Amino acid sequence: MKILFLGDLVGKPGFTAAVKKVPALRKELSLDAVVVNAENAADGSGLTPRQFQRLTDAGVDAITMGDHIYKNKDIIEVLAKSSRIVKPANYPLDSPGRCWTIVDTEAGPLVVISIMGRVFMRPVDCPFDALDRVLAEVSADDRFQGTATGGPPPILVDVHAEATSDKQVLGRYLDGKVTAVLGTHTHVPTADATVLPGGTAFQCDVGMCGPYESIIGRDISRVMSTSRTFEPTHFYVATQDVRLCGAIVESNPQGLATSIVRFEQKIK
Ligand SMILES: [Fe+2]
Ligand SMILES: [Fe+2]
């Protein structure tokens, strides 16, 4: 299976670029599946139900989120109903949303999981315990047993964390257990895309989809001013140098990665 994962869609520039480009990218790159992190789609924070609909209509198979998941409260109903969006698996069990999902693609089922790191983040449950629990649930599921290829379906894990060390330790923990561990949240692509020894594709951060003439997607002067004066101000989403960033992972019938390449496309 050939999967494109796009990092945090930031505001209108990132969201619009993804909606416009995904249908063409599916064809041009012969993609079997597209997964996006959309935690910053709604003006930089959260995701609206209408945006969710437009992304899935554009050919996005599944959506991951992060610490901004509930910023737009209307998404809670979508989280409760749809199998195309997941919450971080180590959020409280009672929080809205599902901890993992299986989506059907033309190349068979794909499992999608989101997990949050614990360094410089809001306190969440242990990611290792949550992943153990979720992977046990996944492997016990009928849809996981009976795929057309006879092997397990690919499993994509979005690791939403601040620290590279936090992401690396989760990557190593999952090596050989899942197809890909791909980082989001810091919005800056890292140059470490690799297939780990056990066969899991890994990248600390795939980079945001949004305006790169910015401070992680926001207007530079606003962030600069608040950084210097501590005076709170609204951080507008920036507008210039819009790029889609992500990673393309290919998996084998054993559900492990054969390759990972960084994806970056400048939007004119
Ligand atoms: Fe983000
Ligand atoms: Fe985040």
Side-chain angles (χ1 to χ4, degrees):
M1 189 181 287
K2 191 174 184 185
I3 309 158
L4 170 66
F5 177 61
L6 293 174
D8 313 45
L9 308 185
V10 178
K12 201 172 175 186
F15 169 75
T16 308
V19 166
K20 263 193 197 160
K21 291 288 177 182
V22 163
L25 288 172
R26 283 196 81 108
K27 285 188 193 147
E28 282 163 27
L29 302 171
S30 305
L31 301 171
D32 298 306
V34 178
V35 180
V36 305
N37 181 302
E39 71 148 3
N40 304 106
D43 198 27
S45 224
L47 175 70
T48 69
R50 168 130 177 87
Q51 287 181 316
F52 169 84
Q53 193 60 46
R54 286 188 64 197
L55 286 169
T56 50
D57 287 349
V60 171
D61 296 285
I63 294 171
T64 55
M65 297 292 284
D67 46 308
H68 297 299
I69 183 167
Y70 304 130
K71 283 278 165 64
N72 184 294
K73 280 187 191 156
D74 296 340
I75 203 66
I76 288 174
E77 205 178 324
V78 178
L79 280 157
K81 280 188 194 154
S82 175
S83 58
R84 291 194 179 276
I85 184 166
V86 289
K87 70 173 176 179
N90 52 339
Y91 262 29
L93 286 176
D94 288 343
S95 63
R98 58 191 71 205
C99 293
W100 61 279
T101 193
I102 294 187
V103 288
D104 282 317
T105 76
E106 281 172 21
L110 166 70
V111 176
V112 177
I113 300 168
S114 158
I115 197 79
M116 294 264 293
R118 290 189 294 188
V119 177
F120 306 134
M121 305 285 284
R122 183 180 187 175
V124 284
D125 294 346
C126 173
F128 303 96
D129 290 346
L131 287 164
D132 287 349
R133 171 176 52 81
V134 164
L135 289 176
E137 287 173 16
V138 169
S139 60
D141 192 282
D142 287 348
R143 291 166 296 174
F144 193 78
Q145 310 292 344
T147 65
T149 60
I155 303 174
L156 185 150
V157 180
D158 171 347
V159 55
H160 198 79
E162 189 75 45
T164 47
S165 55
D166 218 13
K167 291 172 171 178
Q168 285 187 337
V169 74
L170 286 166
R172 293 290 170 168
Y173 186 69
L174 293 171
D175 186 20
K177 298 175 190 164
V178 304
T179 314
V181 176
L182 302 172
T184 55
H185 179 69
T186 53
H187 294 200
V188 179
T190 54
D192 61 339
T194 189
V195 177
L196 297 173
T200 297
F202 177 80
Q203 188 179 355
C204 265
D205 203 296
V206 301
M208 68 171 174
C209 296
Y212 275 72
E213 180 60 18
S214 69
I215 305 290
I216 62 168
R218 306 298 183 132
D219 179 85
I220 296 167
S221 63
R222 286 295 185 120
V223 179
M224 188 81 75
S225 147
T226 294
S227 299
R228 287 191 54 96
T229 66
F230 285 15
E231 254 184 78
T233 167
H234 183 72
F235 291 169
Y236 296 115
V237 172
T239 57
Q240 299 301 304
D241 189 12
V242 178
R243 300 181 216 168
L244 291 180
C245 278
I248 297 170
V249 174
E250 290 196 68
S251 71
N252 63 20
Q254 288 72 48
L256 293 172
T258 53
S259 67
I260 175 170
V261 285
R262 276 186 58 203
F263 172 79
E264 182 166 345
Q265 187 173 81
K266 211 168 156 58
I267 306 296
K268 294 200 179 88

